[in-house]
Amino acid sequence: VREKRLTLPPSEITML
Amino acid sequence: STLVRVAKSATTLGIAVEGGANTRQPLPRIVTIQATRGGSAHNCGQLKVGQVILEVNGVSMRGREHRDAARLIAEAFKTKERDHVDFLVTEFNVAL
């Protein structure tokens, strides 16, 4: 699970 | 977790969020609270950078991708049905 997490992409950031 | 009611006291909400399903940050997290030309969040004074948003007006953020979560927050601020937005937030990055 930990390895899978690390492969997830970073998120974009949205200004609201 | 904490329920924070943000009154729509300014024309903008004034927060930046990152995260969503299928990213390293699975729930939206507050990364900025706009202080200059303060938005409603700044005026409220109870939202903080680093808090993770669990629900908006009772709607869960779980499983929502970034754009969907951002759209829900934007719509909650835009709707004229309420003069406030309720955020359920936590200081902790809850595991999913």
Side-chain angles (χ1 to χ4, degrees):
Chain A
V1 173
R2 187 174 294 268
E3 281 179 16
K4 191 182 173 190
R5 280 262 168 112
L6 288 172
T7 66
L8 287 169
S11 169
E12 29 183 333
I13 293 176
T14 301
M15 292 290 309
L16 294 160
Chain B
S1 56
T2 311
L3 186 66
V4 175
R5 175 161 289 187
V6 177
K8 297 176 184 175
S9 60
T11 54
T12 60
L13 178 57
I15 65 172
V17 296
E18 68 168 2
N22 304 318
T23 74
R24 287 176 204 161
Q25 171 59 48
L27 284 167
R29 190 176 73 99
I30 300 172
V31 291
T32 306
I33 295 180
Q34 192 180 349
T36 52
R37 291 177 293 153
S40 299
H42 176 75
N43 294 343
C44 162
Q46 291 184 75
L47 288 180
K48 295 170 194 150
V49 168
Q51 285 174 329
V52 172
I53 300 171
L54 304 174
E55 294 181 4
V56 175
N57 287 343
V59 177
S60 176
M61 294 291 106
R62 198 158 291 215
R64 295 188 189 278
E65 295 200 340
H66 177 78
R67 284 176 189 197
D68 189 26
R71 180 183 55 79
L72 270 162
I73 297 167
E75 285 177 357
F77 188 77
K78 215 184 300 177
T79 181
K80 298 193 190 312
E81 288 170 25
R82 288 186 182 84
D83 60 1
H84 60 267
V85 183
D86 286 331
F87 289 93
L88 185 66
V89 295
T90 177
E91 309 292 332
F92 306 103
N93 229 335
V94 289
L96 291 185

